[in-house]
Amino acid sequence: MAQVQTATDREASDGVIDLQRFFPYRLAVLAEEVSRTVAQLYSDRFDLTRHEWRVLAALAANRQMAAKDVAGYTTLDKMSVSRAVAALETKAYLTREEDPADRRNKILRLTPAGRALYQKIVPLARARERHILDALTSAERAALDVIMKKLLGRARDLRERG
Amino acid sequence: MAQVQTATDREASDGVIDLQRFFPYRLAVLAEEVSRTVAQLYSDRFDLTRHEWRVLAALAANRQMAAKDVAGYTTLDKMSVSRAVAALETKAYLTREEDPADRRNKILRLTPAGRALYQKIVPLARARERHILDALTSAERAALDVIMKKLLGRARDLRERG
DNA sequence: TATTGTTATACTCTATAACTATA
DNA sequence: TATAGTTATAGAGTATAACAATA
């Protein structure tokens, strides 16, 4: 049966990895390809980097956040957030304000321009997502949701343990 | 039913993308995580870049290749291949030789040291792949194989058309 | 002392294009 | 002219660490 490699398949290929069947490679190629279809929107058309797009989406979904919360929400590290925030502030898409309750925190909010930009990108991004996922049956989409959760959990475990 | 977003799910969330449910984002996070588990091997332990690892794997699987064939096999562009090849040659993991039949081609081959390095990495990489995929049932692995092929085809279509 | 955020540095990756040599 | 490969350059991503301000 054709499937993502199992131990049995592997033993048959005696010590050589066929990249085309190596799961981490296949996944990387797929993710890069999907990422590029969305990047054509926010990058080519609206001149945002991937990090800037993620921060924009985080603030659109959460109204206002401290930088550290953006980092948690986007899986970016605090340094990447800091850079993206600085760029978005320069472009006047967000404002930065000290939290009076704890002045270490900078409260981030989209400006009307930032929100407008986001509203332009969202339907386009959704259309791309929909078009890609329409390649799958409903059952496959349901299966994929479960599969991705399982794989992510396992991969995180593995990396943390080294 | 919980599944990767459908049109219906989307309409309910009125104009805001929850990154955690946005498929391109989820896929990117998963692929990065999986990639890192393998990178811990070839990068941390054996001091190869991702490109170098791919070229090494390409030459291990195909014995000898011209640089342009490595590019096709690895989905790297010719510039990335050229850089990775130069680095691997410096480390004495491969040799470069002119093709007498067409002297524009450089025939690439692993040295015994290159092959030995590869043989050290393969079982470790396979063990990581296996451990990750063991999170899935056999049926899920079969489904994933089909799903990834469909998604890759669709994403490539979409990107080419803009 | 610990946390939030900024800045510095270095390396890797991605993308385009100019260039050399061969065909 | 076209192809294989190299070199140049710049922007973007990733990672570690030092640092300032605040708690």
Side-chain angles (χ1 to χ4, degrees), chain B residues 21-69:
Chain B
R21 297 184 184 200
F22 186 53
F23 175 68
Y25 173 78
R26 288 183 66 189
L27 184 63
V29 169
L30 174 61
E32 280 160 24
E33 200 66 36
V34 170
S35 176
R36 263 192 277 260
T37 69
V38 183
Q40 284 180 330
L41 302 175
Y42 59 69
S43 172
D44 295 4
R45 297 199 203 176
F46 298 106
D47 200 34
L48 297 177
T49 67
R50 184 155 80 139
H51 291 176
E52 287 164 27
W53 156 244
R54 285 193 184 175
V55 171
L56 193 75
L59 289 171
N62 296 281
R63 206 77 190 169
Q64 68 170 62
M65 302 174 94
K68 69 166 175 159
D69 300 319

Side-chain angles (χ1 to χ4, degrees), chain A residues 142-152, chain B residues 30 136 140-141 143-144 147:
Chain A
L144 182 54
D145 185 65
V146 172
I147 286 169
M148 288 180 79
K149 281 176 183 155
K150 286 183 174 181
L151 291 176
L152 185 58
Chain B
L30 174 61
L136 306 181
E140 284 169 337
R141 280 195 295 270
L144 183 55
I147 287 168

